[in-house]
């Protein structure tokens, strides 16, 4: 079993080789310039590599890019084998990265929170406090209150 540092170095190398080959070496029009390699992970035994990618475009372009990557998998694996120089070249699995969708979802949630905060701010614009402006006791007030309460208890005891 390989150590984690070696797996990390191999993952970085695979990411670079695949990205360069997609940019310069593969002439598939389905891949074009809108495929971005975002991350690569290699198993501990260095036998399998998962390559995460994003495609900027609509659903048709995403499907076409997925098909293009599957058809270019052999070429990309052989390029990785040449560059890595390892005994066994890892098999490549391409997975669509959910990062852009997640980021879009988070942005939508933040927009809704901002709108909700604005509604609350507008509703509380002319509002006043239910009690006094400062409902907390001050250190000097405690002594006066205790003295008044002590006088009242003395009067009731008589």
């Amino acid at each position: 079993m390989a150590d984690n540092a070696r797996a990390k170095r191999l993952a970085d190398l695979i990411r670079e080789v695949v990205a360069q080959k997609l940019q310069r070496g593969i002439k598939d029009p389905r891949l074009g310039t809108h495929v971005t390699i975002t991350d690569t992970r290699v198993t501990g035994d260095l036998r399998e590599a998962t390559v995460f990618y994003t495609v900027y475009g609509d659903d048709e372009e995403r499907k076409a890019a997925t098909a293009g990557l599957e058809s270019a998998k052999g070429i990309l694996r052989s390029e990785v084998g040449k560059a890595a120089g390892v005994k066994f070249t890892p098999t490549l699995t391409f997975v669509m990265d959910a990062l852009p969708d997640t980021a879009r979802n988070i942005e939508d949630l933040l927009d809704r929170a901002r709108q909700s905060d604005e509604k609350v701010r507008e509703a509380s614009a002319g509002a006043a406090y239910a009690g006094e402006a400062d409902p907390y006791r001050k250190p000097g007030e405690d002594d006066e209150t205790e003295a008044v309460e002590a006088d009242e208890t003395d009067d009731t005891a008589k």
Side-chain angles (χ1 to χ4, degrees):
M1 172 140 340
D3 61 315
N4 288 337
R6 184 171 181 202
K8 178 69 174 140
R9 283 193 312 267
L10 183 60
D12 291 342
L13 178 71
I14 290 171
R15 185 179 68 243
E16 290 175 16
V17 168
V18 170
Q20 287 176 357
K21 193 66 176 171
L22 286 176
Q23 186 178 16
R24 295 188 193 122
I26 296 180
K27 305 282 189 243
D28 193 343
R30 296 176 291 185
L31 298 175
T33 59
H34 32 275
V35 176
T36 303
I37 304 300
T38 56
D39 192 20
T40 307
R41 295 183 186 149
V42 178
T43 57
D45 61 356
L46 306 180
R47 296 279 183 160
E48 297 177 14
T50 305
V51 180
F52 295 93
Y53 67 97
T54 58
V55 178
Y56 295 105
D58 58 357
D59 287 336
E60 282 185 25
E61 290 176 349
R62 290 179 184 164
K63 289 177 184 176
T66 301
L69 286 171
E70 287 300 317
S71 69
K73 189 184 287 190
I75 297 168
L76 294 172
R77 184 174 180 215
S78 60
E79 287 296 319
V80 167
K82 288 177 191 175
V86 292
K87 183 177 180 181
F88 181 80
T89 303
T91 58
L92 301 178
T93 305
F94 292 97
V95 176
M96 179 80 71
D97 197 356
L99 183 70
D101 296 332
T102 305
R104 192 175 310 113
N105 187 23
I106 290 173
E107 286 297 322
D108 292 342
L109 291 173
L110 288 173
D111 286 340
R112 278 196 266 161
R114 284 186 201 106
Q115 291 171 358
S116 175
D117 288 348
E118 186 62 32
K119 287 179 185 176
V120 169
R121 200 172 299 119
E122 289 173 4
S124 66
Y129 290 105
E132 298 175 21
D134 187 12
Y136 300 104
R137 292 184 184 178
K138 308 257 183 310
E141 292 177 356
D142 290 340
D143 298 335
E144 295 171 7
T145 308
E146 290 173 2
V148 170
E149 289 175 0
D151 290 339
E152 290 175 3
T153 57
D154 287 342
D155 292 340
T156 58
K158 293 180 182 178

